[in-house]
């Protein structure tokens, strides 16, 4: 039985993440989706909300589990018995950061390798921050996220004041 960990922020989950999850679930016996609780980027959704939105999105995938974590990714990978860390690659700039993380993680845990899946054409430029920015400006995000995520975005944005909305900005594709 081979388990892989797909770690990320998922603020919120997009169809680009789900594409990687579906393809990863077909490659490994078990895929654990790890929701990092406190990343250095500012978040729109709480950890509980991010986990809940993901769980609903992967409900049909029987070998996928969603868990939150708040420790080093390689330590969490060891805790769940993962032999691989799964990541998605979009643009060339992803490669630089992902390769640095993969090399660092392998030096910390040589028994765990990083497996990167290439983006699917439809989702090449899709990121959580693009979805948030579009939703903030009233754009239609229905082709970018599952329906329950589009609704959660609308509800969340409705509850924000102008100052809080101002904080939602595309800093980079990685956000
Ligand atoms: P992180 O903060 O760890 O980058 P994200 O939630 O932004 O968390 O992304 C998690 C993983 O999903 C990363 O490996 C990222 O490159 C990948 N990913 C995000 N969007 C896409 C996409 N549209 N296509 C392929 N991979 C993606």
């Amino acid at each position: 039985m081979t388990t892989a960990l797909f770690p990320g922020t998922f603020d919120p989950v997009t169809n680009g993440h789900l594409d990687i999850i579906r393809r990863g679930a077909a490659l490994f016996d078990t895929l654990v989706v790890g929701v990092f609780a406190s990343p250095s980027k500012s978040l729109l959704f709480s950890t509980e909300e991010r986990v809940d939105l993901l769980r609903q999105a992967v409900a049909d995938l029987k070998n996928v589990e969603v868990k939150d974590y708040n420790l080093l990714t390689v330590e969490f990978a060891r805790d769940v018995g993962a032999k691989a860390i799964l990541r998605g690659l979009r643009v060339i700039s992803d490669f630089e950061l992902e390769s640095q993380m993969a090399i660092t993680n392998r030096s910390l845990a040589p028994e765990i390798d990083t497996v990167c899946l290439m983006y699917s054409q439809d989702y090449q430029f899709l990121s959580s921050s693009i979805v948030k920015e579009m939703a903030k400006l009233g754009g239609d995000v229905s082709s970018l996220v599952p329906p329950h995520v589009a609704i959660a975005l609308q509800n969340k944005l409705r509850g924000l004041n102008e100052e809080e909305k101002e904080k939602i900005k595309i800093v980079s594709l990685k956000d």
Side-chain angles (χ1 to χ4, degrees):
M1 291 283 280
T2 308
T3 298
L5 169 68
F6 181 41
T9 308
F10 308 107
D11 185 44
V13 59
T14 70
N15 290 342
H17 294 128
L18 290 171
D19 173 56
I20 300 293
I21 292 172
R22 282 181 196 287
R23 289 160 61 202
L27 292 173
F28 296 97
D29 297 309
T30 304
L31 182 66
V32 176
V33 181
V35 179
F36 187 44
S38 44
S40 49
K41 43 189 164 185
S42 67
L43 296 168
L44 183 60
F45 291 97
S46 69
T47 305
E48 293 70 30
E49 289 167 332
R50 289 178 287 137
V51 167
D52 183 53
L53 292 173
L54 258 162
R55 286 206 175 123
Q56 290 183 55
V58 301
D60 62 317
L61 297 172
K62 296 299 162 226
N63 64 336
V64 176
E65 294 164 25
V66 182
K67 294 179 174 173
D68 64 293
Y69 72 102
N70 210 358
L71 62 170
L72 265 183
T73 296
V74 283
E75 280 172 16
F76 183 59
R78 276 191 182 128
D79 284 356
V80 299
K83 286 189 81 166
I85 292 173
L86 180 69
R87 296 287 288 175
L89 287 182
R90 284 160 295 183
V91 286
I92 291 173
S93 54
D94 267 2
F95 177 81
E96 212 168 302
L97 203 80
E98 295 294 342
S99 60
Q100 278 170 14
M101 279 200 296
I103 302 298
T104 307
N105 284 340
R106 195 139 59 93
S107 70
L108 296 171
E111 76 282 12
I112 301 172
D113 227 323
T114 297
V115 174
C116 291
L117 293 182
M118 209 55 68
Y119 64 87
S120 292
Q121 220 164 5
D122 285 351
Y123 309 127
Q124 182 177 4
F125 299 108
L126 179 52
S127 69
S128 297
S129 67
I130 286 172
V131 167
K132 287 183 279 190
E133 177 87 20
M134 277 183 67
K136 179 180 92 171
L137 298 171
D140 178 11
V141 296
S142 59
S143 63
L144 309 178
V145 294
H148 70 280
V149 175
I151 292 168
L153 271 163
Q154 272 178 9
N155 291 341
K156 177 65 80 175
L157 288 164
R158 212 174 288 135
L160 297 185
N161 61 36
E162 284 312 309
E163 200 182 321
E164 288 166 326
K165 276 193 196 162
E166 256 308 293
K167 290 188 192 143
I168 303 172
K169 283 204 173 72
I170 300 174
V171 181
S172 80
L173 195 60
K174 290 305 295 174
D175 292 312

